[in-house]
Amino acid sequence: MNGTINKVTLIGHLGDEVKMHYFEGGNCIGRFPLATNETYINKSTGEKINSTEWHNLVVRNKAAEICEKYLSKGDKIYVEGRIKSRQWQTEDGVQKYTTEIQVTEFTFLNLKKDSEGVKSSPIPTPKNTPYDDSMMPDNDMPF
């Protein structure tokens, strides 16, 4: 195989609310942290070990607006995307680096609002980009 692939699949819980950033021309991005957990047994001590990994997720435009509307801290979500690393320089000259997951597809797995007894409306879940309202389900949750 001569090509390369940059694909990430995650299932985790939101660590915070979706933070929106709007740009001139009407585009926007949403950012939120996602926690994935791993539990294993230490073979030498028999101790149960819990480990959490944090991922910085970025969603764009219509997908960002959907995430902002329906997701809140603690909700479980399935995402697919690609890894993107960025660097920039602060005003005082310090180089900063970050690694993000650029989300291309997602599915809501459970919403905290549902478990609190609040009935939510059907949730459109984009599956392709660009996001087109005609692709959104309008009759029921996708799971």
Side-chain angles (χ1 to χ4, degrees):
M1 181 169 162
N2 293 331
T4 64
I5 189 165
N6 180 354
K7 185 169 185 173
V8 176
T9 303
L10 299 169
I11 296 176
H13 295 273
L14 269 72
D16 200 357
E17 304 299 321
V18 177
K19 306 285 192 251
M20 297 294 291
H21 303 278
Y22 294 91
F23 304 102
E24 290 182 22
N27 291 331
C28 63
I29 61 171
R31 298 178 184 276
F32 57 93
L34 187 79
T36 55
N37 302 304
E38 177 183 14
T39 302
Y40 60 93
I41 305 295
N42 182 319
K43 290 182 180 178
S44 42
T45 65
E47 179 185 7
K48 184 177 180 180
I49 308 292
N50 293 314
S51 174
T52 301
E53 187 71 32
W54 289 95
H55 313 274
N56 298 314
L57 274 60
V58 177
V59 289
R60 298 187 181 285
N61 301 320
K62 185 69 173 176
E65 292 169 353
I66 291 169
C67 287
E68 179 190 34
K69 182 175 180 179
Y70 292 105
L71 290 175
S72 59
K73 183 177 179 178
D75 289 341
K76 192 173 188 180
I77 186 173
Y78 165 91
V79 298
E80 290 183 14
R82 60 187 165 275
I83 297 174
K84 176 77 173 178
S85 298
R86 296 185 299 117
Q87 69 179 23
W88 69 96
Q89 194 170 30
T90 63
E91 292 176 5
D92 56 349
V94 176
Q95 282 289 106
K96 296 281 189 166
Y97 301 88
T98 189
T99 300
E100 301 169 327
I101 307 301
Q102 302 280 322
V103 176
T104 56
E105 295 187 27
F106 60 86
T107 301
F108 302 148
L109 299 178
N110 76 318
L111 301 178
K112 197 161 63 170
K113 295 174 191 133
D114 291 341
S115 63
E116 294 171 354
V118 176
K119 180 152 175 66
S120 63
S121 59
I123 301 168
T125 306
K127 286 293 183 190
N128 299 310
T129 51
Y131 298 102
D132 177 359
D133 287 337
S134 67
M135 294 186 297
M136 306 295 179
D138 59 2
N139 57 353
D140 203 358
M141 290 187 179
F143 45 87

